[in-house]
Each structure stands twice: as structure tokens, then as C-alpha cells.
Amino acid sequence: NNYAKSKLQDEVLLTEASNPYYILRLPGLFGGGRKSGIIYNVIVKLLQDTLPNIEDKQKSWSSMHVDDAAYVISQLTNKDITNKILNIGYGMPQSIFRLIDILKNIMNKNNVDDINVDDNWVCLDVSKQKEIIGELMFSWELRLSEEVKIITNG
């Protein structure tokens, strides 16, 4: 899409400039009280025993809880990462199909029909992130489970 292309063009400009840089590539963020986005919408629809319509552009996708992203960024501020590009994330395969499957299991909603989408998973290479700050304290599945509790009780 045009947004992704423009971000890549900006990265090229930065890497070719003579100034020091570091580029953080963040996935889609969820949590923190946000009441929109794919994860929020799927949870709300599952509470209604249905699923949202998934657009083609959403099939290839990854996400991270806003608190985990903030933690990574705060840890990186104290490190020498000049002239690097870092993917930020959990480093595990993510897809809309997998998201829905995990949420259905967390919410005991196996009665809801599966969604008919290709499983176009994305797995960000976060090896540089892990090399610099180590493993994250929380997993994607745990953060999804917390988000279900917040939205269900909220």
C-alpha cells in the first residue's frame, strides 16, 4: 500500500543521509484503553457470537500491546543503536486467522464459525531487539487474554 511504500522511502532517505539515525519499525498497537482496531473489534464481535468482516488489506498483519512497545522503546533509549533499523515485536507468527483462533479459545467461543480467510501470517525478525534488550516479559497470547478481560469487564 502507499503508506508502507512512503515509510520505506523515508527509511532510504534517512539511511542515505550523513546524520546518525535509528529506525524503529512498530507493528499495529493495541491496548491502553483503545476502543478500535482489529483486536478490539474481534473481541466485541465474539461477545456477540459473530465475527467482523475482514478486509483483504487486514489479512497480512502483526500487533503488539502498547505497554510492551513502550517498554522496548524505553529500554532502547539507553543503548547505543546508532545507524540501525529495528523491528519491534514479539517475534512470533501472527495473522488474522491466528488472532481469531486464539481469541475464540480464550473466550470459549468455539461455537462461532471460523472465518474464511487465507492464513497470511507475518513474523517480524526481532533478533536485533532481543540481542539488545533480551526477551520480553509478556507474550502476545497473555496480552490478548488481558485485553479480553478488560473489554469484557469494561
Side-chain angles (χ1 to χ4, degrees):
N1 67 31
N2 289 336
Y3 177 70
K5 287 178 187 175
S6 69
K7 286 176 73 170
L8 287 173
Q9 289 170 344
D10 291 344
E11 285 183 7
V12 169
L13 288 173
L14 284 171
T15 58
E16 291 177 350
S18 59
N19 298 326
Y21 68 89
Y22 71 93
I23 298 167
L24 302 180
R25 294 177 177 163
L26 292 163
L29 299 178
F30 69 95
R34 185 173 178 200
K35 296 188 184 313
S36 63
I38 295 171
I39 292 173
Y40 178 84
N41 293 338
V42 170
I43 292 169
V44 168
K45 287 293 191 177
L46 282 172
L47 288 170
Q48 300 166 359
D49 291 329
T50 186
L51 288 172
N53 292 327
I54 304 297
E55 300 174 23
D56 284 340
K57 67 180 181 178
Q58 295 174 315
K59 290 180 185 177
S60 202
W61 162 92
S62 68
S63 67
M64 183 176 212
H65 194 278
V66 67
D67 290 345
D68 294 330
Y71 170 78
V72 170
I73 292 168
S74 72
Q75 293 301 301
L76 292 173
T77 59
N78 301 321
K79 308 291 183 184
D80 179 22
I81 55 171
T82 305
N83 299 335
K84 289 190 183 353
I85 298 174
L86 297 173
N87 293 322
I88 304 302
Y90 295 111
M92 56 169 300
Q94 293 184 14
S95 69
I96 297 297
F97 180 81
R98 186 151 190 242
L99 168 71
I100 291 170
D101 193 47
I102 290 169
L103 290 174
K104 282 173 59 176
N105 287 331
I106 291 169
M107 299 172 71
N108 295 315
K109 293 289 186 173
N110 293 320
N111 60 316
V112 177
D113 290 335
D114 287 329
I115 194 161
N116 187 19
V117 297
D118 295 329
D119 192 16
N120 297 330
W121 59 270
V122 173
C123 186
L124 299 176
D125 177 2
V126 296
S127 57
K128 291 179 187 175
Q129 169 193 302
K130 289 181 180 180
E131 179 183 311
I132 295 169
I133 66 165
E135 294 288 334
L136 293 176
M137 294 183 289
F138 303 103
S139 69
W140 188 49
E141 289 90 347
L142 177 65
R143 290 301 199 180
L144 291 173
S145 182
E146 291 172 351
E147 199 65 14
V148 166
K149 288 177 189 168
I150 290 167
I151 292 169
T152 303
N153 298 326

